[in-house]
Amino acid sequence: MDFQKDSYGNELRLKAIEKFDLISNLEQLEEFKSELLGRKGSITDLIKNISTLPSDQKKDAGKNANLIKIFFQDLIQEKFDDYTSTDAEESNPTLDFSLPGRRKSHGSFHPTTVVVREITKVFTEMGFDLAEGPEVELDEYNFQKLNIPIDHPARDMWNTLWVDTTSDVNIQPLLLRTHTSPMQIRLMEKQNPPIRVIVPGKTYRYEATDATHEWQFCQVEGLVVDKGITFAHLKSTLEEFAQNMFGQKRKARFRCDFFPFVEPGAEVSIDCFKCDGDRDGCKVCSFTGWIEIMGAGMVHPEVLKGVGYDPEIYSGFAFGMGAERISMLRNGIDDVRLFYSNDLRFLKQFS
Amino acid sequence: MKVPVSWLKKYINLDGIDINDLSHLMTMAGTEVSSIDIVGEHWDAEHLLVGEIIDIKPHPDADKLRLPTIKLSDSETRTVVCGAPNLYVSQKIVFAKEGAYLFNPRSNNHEVLKSAKIRGVESSGMVCSSLELGLGEDHSGILELDSSIPIGTPVKNLLSDVIIETELTPNRPDCLSVIGTAHEMAAITKQNVVYPVTSYSPSNKKIEDFIEIDIIDSELCSRYMGTVIENVKIQESPDWLKDALIKTGHRPINNVVDITNFVMLEFGQPLHAFDYKKIPNKKILVRPSKDGEKIDTLDGENRTLKYPMLVIADDSKPIALAGIMGGSNTEIDSNTTDVFLEAANFSASNTRFTRNALNINTEASYRFERYLRPEIAELAFDRAISLIQEITSGVPLSNHIDIYQRTTDDLKVAFKLENLNKLLGTQFELPEILNIFESLGCLIEIKSSGTIFVTPPIWRSDIKIEADLIEEFARIYGYDQLPTAKINSIIPDRDDSTYINFREIIRDTLVYSGFNETISYAVVNGAKLTETTEISSEIFVKVQNPMDSTKNVLRPNLRVNILDTLSNNRRLNQSDPIQIFEIGRVFGEYKKFNSQIMPDENDQLIAVLSGKRNQENLWDKTHESVDFYDAKGVLEDLFEATKIVFQLEECDEGFFAKGKAAKILINNSHVGNIGEISQHSLSHFDLNESVVMIEIFLEEILKKANLLEHQYTRPSKFPSSERDIALLVNNSIQADQITQMISKNSLVVDTFIIDLYEGEELPENTKSMTFKIVFQSYEATLSTNDIDKAQQKILKSLKHQLNIDQRY
Ligand SMILES: [Zn+2]
């Protein structure tokens, strides 16, 4: 630092340096600091007095005063660090390493979000688009247009929570959608083929809860419609999904199953990712070697006709799976009620 | 349905077929076998034998116990203690020797039988009831065997069986029968099904002299067969019949009722037997009931009916709920001598309507509502008459009533090979396919034109269109054997996904700033809701049949959910800080969406921070409660992540603490709220701590914000300089009024508050605020003079417009 002999405050600076050299402990240093830089310290006064100077001197004086201030601040800090660090070393040579570290509280995604995002990612990479739909649905979309007429026994497959529509006679029967399948209809009504979409979303059933049943859960629906879509495409697409989701060596198994809006209908299982489909199986696969992961099938001709698609020209397949079920399988969660109980001790495990 | 293999073997040859393998094939073909139960799995030939009671002595010390002596072979007899009431000399019974592995009803476990002293008398071995053998529930008496069975026969050879249980989809009522199951097995194993032979000797009396039947609505009853069987002797059923019912989970009642149940299980066709003499005026009507009509049903309930529940009625009142349950007024009892037997086909949807409305589920209603073919009725009818004569010695009339509304629908399904190959992605040849159709019992006609017509068998009601036939082929051929192929068509265009992307960025940002995501039930308690919102309860959307009657409102916002979650976690002693959020659907007023009236559904975000700002388990922090600015910081993070500019404006909603909440505005539209929740509101959730909340109408934001792509700003080549200015500010002035004013200066590139001080030495109603101001130019390095000038200008306008003085 370069100070000129006759510059503003230089006298004060020299005197203070002399005094500084005599300091021998922390107490004296504190005293020195307040004499110089305190409210009524000499450097504070020095700065205040600038305003009394002729205006042509003000600029240089201000600059000098500021330099002096910084000079002593640094000097004091340096000495302060010397004293304090020596003290620390003498009284407490090592830190208590056993004290917990300072951590930011960590956030977490809900396990359903985690699995839905994963499923979505796999299908998006396979060329699927993403759509969402209403959770309160018309009976017409949830059932009738899916080839499930009123008073059809297949309705027992979906115990239904009905919306109270008594307030207005103009409202058609409404319900909490029992599956994401009504979005098949909404998508097909909205656009012409080709369609390749998945639809994640909440679904609801009138169902007593226990470790494996929940009345609210999340499904992921899928729909592919185009010219020349075949059951062979269904098999290939869903096997590819299973492999991307559960590991490349997974095998998918297809058995006949019934859903009124598909024909032929299928249930899709994979060989157990825990025991690799061992003959005797394991707990994850209920000792069968196979794990059911979804329902699927070729879109029923009546459903296609209902949305104005000609089944002679277009065909398609649809599928649906329960998100929580997949999460439970993968994370070893043995009680589905944990998902919506919102116990942070559970949720924080998914950070 | 439970199907004993012993019963199946009456109609299909299962020799050499492994039941496990067959069950697997059935499951893969769509008729799922959910369990295989081996009756007598633990029976061994040495310890469980047929014995004959040759003597019974009283127990010296107990009235209810007796000491039967059982002969097991010419050289071996045993005397044991037995409490069963139905013992008699010469009776054939199942004897268990010491060491047999039996079900112990007391421990509810299978155990090895040990000898024991019962009331002072040594007893080694026991006479078994069906319960101990695992054959049924009946523990009251010992199991009686046919007297022709030789003593010493191992019970294993006599009574053991395999029972498969199928879990059926609603389209396959045919498999709700033993013969239907046999047909399914026959298709898989390429066999034939042999039907039971029926024959009986009728009297020469005419049905017309016994009863008159009238069907009022033939839509609801497509076929009604009936006849009278005279002189039946009501008794307990023979063992084979009881055994068949017990193994399929039914309770034997009496021979006539048991036969109707047996034939229902055999053919899948429900039957009903009325006591003929209890039908007054000998007239039967099949008609919809009138509103308010009553009937006492066989289960002992008095039921009130309504139109158009189908009933069987005499000339004044219902005597049965058609296809569901009989009435007590015509019940078969021990005095019954003449039986009116009914085999009918009732409307599936009417049956379903009635059983739903009356909440009454029976084996009959279960079958009828799944669509039975009317052709089955005559097979079951004949079989039942034949068995009634064989077992009860009853005599049927020479003819019967058969009112049959034959459907005009052609059941033939046209089939084209190319359509099958087109749907499955295959190249099958015709013979392979027709073989499978035939194995399923279909009739095939090939017209000269080449058109193929396939008529499904009479037991199948679910094959109606070509796609059904394609599935039939595919499932028997085996889905797993069919080829796979990658989709080769082009990937369709994607829809606009701006909103979903935006929402997911919000979700990410919250998690990365330390929030835990929650997902709650979509219904909430209406009373709690009213305490937390100013939305009128008149527009709440309600669930008609909620799981929990106190929670029946579809949430119009997420406040109740998040506060319930917070409160529950406090109860679980969750430590500070709790930072949680939920993104979910809320349900607003009904609106018309292209002529469909539905609730207005939208996504909302809710986030709360509560309690102390820092983690409780940290050893070196001061514990301060969260406040408005914690929430504000989160909001700033969210909007910075999505490049959205927002304003805040005071919000006076009572849910929030007064003066500590604001509406979030984007381009003057209300897109959410932020603030501290009032202690009063929190008290409804048993919360006694500071809770701050952010609520955002996610979809609204996208409508209101100009979601421009973020514009890059070129950094200046010249250095910036900082100045701190302390200001004395009236309390009514908010910080952003000052930052906005400072930012107006063209040399200012950034400014923010670095200190807020409220102290007694300050003039009344004022606060001290210190702002850091960053000056920078794109043209040159700013001189001290340039900065001084700019600063003076800023101070001047602050003084002029907001009456703010610099503080020294
Ligand atoms: Zn396994």
Side-chain angles (χ1 to χ4, degrees):
Chain A
M1 227 174 265
D2 181 28
F3 295 104
Q4 284 171 353
K5 253 188 183 163
D6 52 350
S7 63
Y8 183 73
N10 200 35
E11 205 174 325
L12 188 145
R13 184 180 70 92
L14 294 172
K15 272 187 196 160
I17 288 174
E18 274 173 38
K19 216 170 177 182
F20 179 78
D21 290 342
L22 299 172
I23 292 172
S24 61
N25 59 37
L26 191 61
E27 212 170 295
Q28 289 171 4
L29 182 69
E30 298 278 13
E31 199 178 311
F32 176 78
K33 186 183 172 187
S34 92
E35 274 171 21
L36 240 59
L37 299 164
R39 256 176 183 264
K40 289 179 179 161
S42 45
I43 292 178
T44 315
D45 284 344
L46 192 72
I47 293 169
K48 274 185 189 164
N49 291 338
I50 293 171
S51 56
T52 64
L53 295 176
S55 55
D56 63 327
Q57 293 176 19
K58 271 185 187 166
K59 194 179 161 190
D60 279 350
K63 199 170 145 194
N64 274 307
N66 212 34
L67 283 174
I68 292 168
K69 184 179 169 186
I70 292 165
F71 173 78
F72 280 104
Q73 275 174 342
D74 290 351
L75 216 55
I76 292 165
Q77 187 64 42
E78 218 171 283
K79 197 137 193 145
F80 182 84
D81 288 348
D82 280 354
Y83 286 135
T84 49
S85 67
T86 323
D87 283 357
E89 271 165 38
E90 277 165 8
S91 63
N92 194 3
T94 44
L95 293 175
D96 179 353
F97 300 124
S98 67
L99 283 173
R102 293 187 191 95
R103 301 173 63 176
K104 288 197 170 165
S105 61
H106 54 274
S108 56
F109 290 101
H110 191 279
T112 303
T113 302
V114 176
V115 73
V116 168
R117 281 184 167 192
E118 244 178 293
I119 295 168
T120 305
K121 184 166 175 281
V122 169
F123 279 113
T124 310
E125 282 166 2
M126 291 164 72
F128 282 75
D129 198 2
L130 185 64
E132 292 177 352
E135 292 176 17
V136 170
E137 258 300 356
L138 291 157
D139 180 292
E140 189 187 354
Y141 281 78
N142 195 80
F143 289 127
Q144 297 167 48
K145 291 187 174 202
L146 286 165
N147 200 27
I148 312 162
I150 288 166
D151 273 327
H152 192 276
R155 287 201 176 205
D156 287 352
M157 295 164 78
W158 302 276
N159 294 325
T160 307
L161 284 157
W162 295 93
V163 171
D164 183 353
T165 51
T166 46
S167 61
D168 185 346
V169 288
N170 294 316
I171 303 176
Q172 296 299 306
L174 285 170
L175 44 81
L176 291 177
R177 65 175 173 193
T178 60
H179 47 186
T180 39
S181 309
M183 272 305 283
Q184 290 183 28
I185 307 295
R186 291 193 179 274
L187 288 164
M188 289 192 281
E189 283 184 344
K190 203 181 82 181
Q191 68 189 94
N192 289 318
I195 293 177
R196 205 184 296 185
V197 188
I198 57 158
V199 186
K202 286 207 189 84
T203 50
Y204 306 85
R205 306 261 169 100
Y206 183 82
E207 190 141 20
T209 55
D210 62 26
T212 53
H213 295 88
E214 185 41 283
W215 68 267
Q216 172 180 309
F217 52 101
C218 181
Q219 272 193 346
V220 180
E221 187 82 11
L223 177 68
V224 175
V225 185
D226 203 346
K227 286 177 187 161
I229 295 293
T230 68
F231 194 75
H233 294 139
L234 177 156
K235 285 186 68 176
S236 164
T237 305
L238 298 182
E239 183 158 63
E240 190 180 336
F241 162 75
Q243 287 167 348
N244 290 340
M245 189 80 190
F246 298 99
Q248 288 307 318
K249 63 175 182 177
R250 291 281 70 84
K251 292 188 292 281
R253 189 181 82 171
F254 298 81
R255 58 167 287 255
C256 179
D257 203 351
F258 171 73
F259 306 97
F261 39 96
V262 291
E263 190 79 11
E267 175 196 272
V268 188
S269 302
I270 52 165
D271 58 336
C272 178
F273 48 76
K274 198 89 183 182
C275 64
D276 272 342
D278 187 83
R279 248 190 74 92
D280 295 327
C282 69
K283 212 180 145 196
V284 171
C285 57
S286 312
F287 308 100
T288 63
W290 294 94
I291 298 172
E292 296 169 26
I293 55 166
M294 65 173 110
M298 302 304 291
V299 181
H300 199 286
E302 289 302 321
V303 172
L304 292 174
K305 277 185 212 158
V307 297
Y309 287 8
D310 184 349
E312 298 283 319
I313 300 171
Y314 294 108
S315 55
F317 65 85
F319 53 89
M321 67 192 102
E324 287 83 5
R325 178 176 159 71
I326 290 177
S327 174
M328 288 171 81
L329 290 167
R330 306 188 78 187
N331 299 310
I333 301 167
D334 57 6
D335 192 335
V336 69
R337 289 168 294 192
L338 285 166
F339 281 84
Y340 302 125
S341 64
N342 285 330
D343 184 337
L344 284 167
R345 295 169 302 182
F346 171 73
L347 295 176
K348 283 185 173 177
Q349 295 177 30
F350 299 88
S351 52
Chain B
M1 153 143 186
K2 285 183 175 171
V3 187
V5 170
S6 60
W7 195 346
L8 277 167
K9 282 182 173 168
K10 294 181 180 177
Y11 322 115
I12 184 171
N13 180 6
L14 294 175
D15 294 346
I17 289 173
D18 182 303
I19 294 299
N20 286 299
D21 292 348
L22 178 57
S23 297
H24 174 70
L25 290 172
M26 288 178 67
T27 298
M28 297 304 283
T31 37
E32 186 182 355
V33 175
S34 55
S35 70
I36 302 172
D37 186 22
I38 301 167
V39 178
E41 196 178 2
H42 305 297
W43 299 347
D44 72 271
E46 245 176 76
H47 293 97
L48 280 167
L49 304 166
V50 175
E52 181 178 348
I53 298 177
I54 52 170
D55 186 29
I56 302 174
K57 288 206 166 66
H59 189 287
D61 293 323
D63 288 350
K64 285 190 178 164
L65 298 178
R66 289 187 288 173
L67 309 177
T69 300
I70 296 105
K71 187 177 175 186
L72 295 171
S73 70
D74 288 342
S75 56
E76 190 178 9
T77 59
R78 296 286 179 94
T79 301
V80 295
V81 180
C82 183
N86 62 335
L87 297 178
Y88 58 89
V89 171
S90 86
Q91 189 180 23
K92 293 277 177 72
I93 50 90
V94 175
F95 186 78
K97 290 184 180 176
E98 186 185 339
Y101 195 63
L102 294 173
F103 181 73
N104 181 347
R106 289 205 190 92
S107 68
N108 215 18
N109 263 319
H110 274 85
E111 288 172 8
V112 175
L113 181 67
K114 293 177 192 146
S115 64
K117 255 189 185 172
I118 301 170
R119 296 274 184 111
V121 176
E122 183 74 24
S123 184
S124 177
M126 73 184 290
V127 182
C128 297
S129 73
S130 43
L131 185 64
E132 283 123 10
L133 292 169
L135 290 174
E137 301 289 303
D138 190 8
H139 188 42
S140 59
I142 55 126
L143 181 70
E144 205 177 333
L145 300 175
D146 195 283
S147 59
S148 63
I149 301 168
I151 56 169
T153 309
V155 173
K156 196 179 180 66
N157 305 351
L158 202 67
L159 297 176
S160 73
D161 203 346
V162 177
I163 296 172
I164 64 167
E165 183 155 17
T166 52
E167 196 131 329
L168 298 166
T169 51
N171 58 327
R172 295 299 303 274
D174 56 303
C175 286
L176 291 166
S177 71
V178 181
I179 288 182
T181 309
H183 275 302
E184 184 73 2
M185 290 177 163
I188 290 166
T189 59
K190 306 281 177 285
Q191 292 199 55
N192 288 317
V193 172
V194 182
Y195 276 59
V197 179
T198 59
S199 70
Y200 48 85
S201 333
S203 65
N204 48 22
K205 296 179 187 172
K206 295 271 177 211
I207 185 75
E208 291 76 14
D209 300 326
F210 281 77
I211 203 150
E212 187 191 328
I213 292 174
D214 213 350
I215 296 175
I216 303 301
D217 188 346
S218 62
E219 288 274 301
L220 302 181
C221 176
S222 63
R223 188 170 197 179
Y224 197 95
M225 301 180 75
T227 196
V228 173
I229 302 153
E230 293 182 287
N231 301 319
V232 299
K233 239 168 96 188
I234 303 296
Q235 280 176 322
E236 210 175 303
S237 293
D239 284 342
W240 69 264
L241 179 50
K242 285 197 290 187
D243 181 55
L245 292 177
I246 288 166
K247 278 181 179 164
T248 52
H250 298 80
R251 191 169 53 92
I253 296 167
N254 61 46
N255 50 10
V256 169
V257 173
D258 291 352
I259 289 166
T260 59
N261 283 332
F262 177 85
V263 175
M264 174 184 74
L265 295 166
E266 191 176 41
F267 282 92
Q269 165 71 45
L271 302 170
H272 188 61
F274 300 81
D275 186 328
Y276 170 71
K277 288 189 174 149
K278 293 179 186 169
I279 304 172
N281 301 326
K282 311 306 165 206
K283 185 168 166 65
I284 281 182
L285 285 171
V286 183
R287 61 163 171 85
S289 70
K290 300 164 198 142
D291 283 342
E293 256 185 319
K294 288 188 168 32
I295 183 172
D296 286 324
T297 41
L298 285 174
D299 56 0
E301 297 281 322
N302 179 271
R303 299 178 185 276
T304 306
L305 311 179
K306 65 179 179 197
Y307 182 83
M309 295 173 176
L310 193 67
V311 293
I312 313 301
D314 62 25
D315 54 2
S316 65
K317 61 183 185 302
I319 56 171
L321 284 174
I324 301 177
M325 193 182 273
S328 310
N329 49 16
T330 47
E331 184 176 6
I332 305 282
D333 61 38
S334 53
N335 299 319
T336 302
T337 54
D338 302 335
V339 166
F340 175 69
L341 179 72
E342 162 200 288
N345 191 284
F346 299 115
S347 148
S349 65
N350 187 277
T351 305
R352 189 177 161 84
F353 166 77
T354 308
R355 76 105 173 128
N356 256 335
L358 297 178
N359 194 19
I360 173 173
N361 237 321
T362 64
E363 296 255 359
S365 68
Y366 194 79
R367 286 171 174 78
F368 277 124
E369 68 173 292
R370 279 161 176 70
Y371 299 92
L372 298 178
R373 289 278 295 270
E375 292 90 333
I376 298 290
E378 65 196 70
L379 300 178
F381 189 65
D382 265 8
R383 171 70 164 159
I385 295 171
S386 165
L387 283 174
I388 290 174
Q389 180 159 69
E390 181 187 323
I391 291 168
T392 74
S393 326
V395 183
L397 306 181
S398 65
N399 65 340
H400 60 260
I401 287 162
D402 186 2
I403 305 170
Y404 191 3
Q405 199 71 33
R406 258 171 237 274
T407 163
T408 51
D409 298 349
D410 197 347
L411 299 170
K412 283 181 198 165
V413 180
F415 175 78
K416 279 194 196 130
L417 176 64
E418 57 175 281
N419 286 347
L420 181 142
N421 283 328
K422 206 171 112 188
L423 195 68
L424 298 180
T426 50
Q427 275 110 35
F428 286 108
E429 304 278 351
L430 198 54
E432 192 167 8
I433 292 155
L434 297 187
N435 263 337
I436 283 181
F437 289 165
E438 278 170 343
S439 77
L440 286 159
C442 298
L443 290 174
I444 292 156
E445 278 174 81
I446 304 179
K447 300 275 178 191
S448 53
S449 62
T451 317
I452 299 166
F453 286 103
V454 181
T455 307
I458 58 161
W459 55 90
R460 295 290 297 271
S461 59
D462 61 319
I463 302 173
K464 291 175 199 141
I465 59 171
E466 195 177 39
D468 297 331
L469 284 173
I470 296 172
E471 179 181 90
E472 287 303 305
F473 167 76
R475 72 184 187 91
I476 299 297
Y477 183 82
Y479 281 6
D480 270 347
Q481 315 306 316
L482 292 170
T484 67
K486 287 213 171 218
I487 302 177
N488 46 18
S489 52
I490 44 159
I491 294 172
D493 292 341
R494 284 172 198 258
D495 232 14
D496 176 27
S497 56
T498 315
Y499 170 68
I500 294 177
N501 293 343
F502 160 78
R503 186 187 64 200
E504 296 312 307
I505 290 171
I506 295 275
R507 201 191 306 270
D508 286 343
T509 310
L510 281 164
V511 169
Y512 299 141
S513 26
F515 280 77
N516 300 106
E517 187 186 11
T518 66
I519 300 180
S520 315
Y521 294 117
V523 290
V524 294
N525 177 293
K528 268 190 181 174
L529 184 58
T530 313
E531 295 293 346
T532 56
T533 183
E534 287 170 4
I535 299 171
S536 157
S537 64
E538 287 186 1
I539 63 164
F540 289 169
V541 180
K542 287 184 184 155
V543 176
Q544 193 183 308
N545 55 335
M547 300 306 303
D548 169 352
S549 60
T550 66
K551 293 179 181 167
N552 68 338
V553 182
L554 280 163
R555 55 191 187 182
N557 59 41
L558 305 174
R559 292 174 181 179
V560 173
N561 287 135
I562 204 86
L563 291 177
D564 273 341
T565 297
L566 180 60
S567 174
N568 291 340
N569 279 287
R570 281 298 178 210
R571 213 171 295 135
L572 297 167
N573 288 322
Q574 182 67 41
S575 61
D576 275 331
I578 295 187
Q579 304 185 29
I580 48 178
F581 77 100
E582 175 165 3
I583 290 176
R585 214 45 89 63
V586 300
F587 304 84
E589 229 173 327
Y590 285 106
K591 277 191 182 163
K592 220 170 194 172
F593 300 90
N594 311 317
S595 85
Q596 300 170 358
I597 305 176
M598 293 169 73
D600 188 15
E601 282 184 36
N602 284 291
D603 281 344
Q604 273 194 12
L605 156 72
I606 198 157
V608 296
L609 299 94
S610 91
K612 305 286 184 233
R613 188 171 294 142
N614 302 313
Q615 284 180 42
E616 254 166 25
N617 59 359
L618 277 188
W619 37 275
D620 70 342
K621 290 276 179 77
T622 53
H623 285 162
E624 284 177 356
S625 290
V626 293
D627 65 18
F628 180 87
Y629 297 101
D630 292 279
K632 175 98 186 286
V634 175
L635 187 65
E636 285 162 348
D637 278 347
L638 288 182
F639 283 152
E640 188 169 294
T642 50
K643 310 290 176 211
I644 288 171
V645 181
F646 69 94
Q647 300 86 39
L648 297 181
E649 179 187 288
E650 193 181 346
C651 165
D652 54 9
E653 211 186 315
F655 173 65
F656 296 105
K658 198 162 168 33
K660 292 185 174 173
K663 290 178 181 168
I664 305 167
L665 305 177
I666 291 178
N667 293 333
N668 293 321
S669 289
H670 186 196
V671 298
N673 299 299
I674 177 170
E676 300 186 25
I677 300 172
S678 76
Q679 285 306 312
H680 175 75
S681 304
L682 292 174
S683 68
H684 298 293
F685 299 86
D686 296 324
L687 288 166
N688 182 24
E689 59 191 72
S690 30
V691 181
V692 290
M693 186 197 87
I694 301 168
E695 179 179 58
I696 298 179
F697 319 144
L698 291 173
E699 293 173 64
E700 204 60 23
I701 288 192
L702 274 224
K703 287 178 206 150
K704 298 298 182 282
N706 308 318
L707 268 200
L708 297 172
E709 280 300 307
H710 176 55
Q711 294 298 308
Y712 142 85
T713 318
R714 178 176 58 87
S716 169
K717 282 183 284 192
F718 303 99
S720 64
S721 314
E722 293 175 5
R723 287 281 173 89
D724 296 347
I725 55 167
L727 303 170
L728 194 64
V729 182
N730 188 288
N731 272 342
S732 66
I733 293 171
Q734 305 224 334
D736 60 354
Q737 291 175 273
I738 299 171
T739 50
Q740 276 168 23
M741 189 137 293
I742 296 172
S743 305
K744 280 182 189 158
N745 190 289
S746 59
L747 291 182
V748 174
V749 291
D750 198 9
T751 181
F752 46 91
I753 184 164
I754 55 169
D755 186 46
L756 172 67
Y757 176 73
E758 287 158 313
E760 284 186 1
E761 72 270 29
L762 296 176
E764 206 179 320
N765 215 17
T766 60
K767 55 194 171 186
S768 161
M769 295 172 117
T770 307
F771 290 82
K772 188 173 280 298
I773 308 177
V774 186
F775 297 93
Q776 195 176 33
S777 160
Y778 281 87
E779 278 97 43
T781 305
L782 292 174
S783 68
T784 311
N785 196 24
D786 296 334
I787 296 170
D788 285 343
K789 272 191 196 152
Q791 183 173 331
Q792 285 312 316
K793 239 171 128 181
I794 289 167
L795 288 168
K796 222 178 187 172
S797 56
L798 283 172
K799 172 74 190 165
H800 186 68
Q801 300 196 30
L802 297 170
N803 196 24
I804 291 171
D805 287 311
Q806 188 169 13
R807 182 166 175 261
Y808 297 100

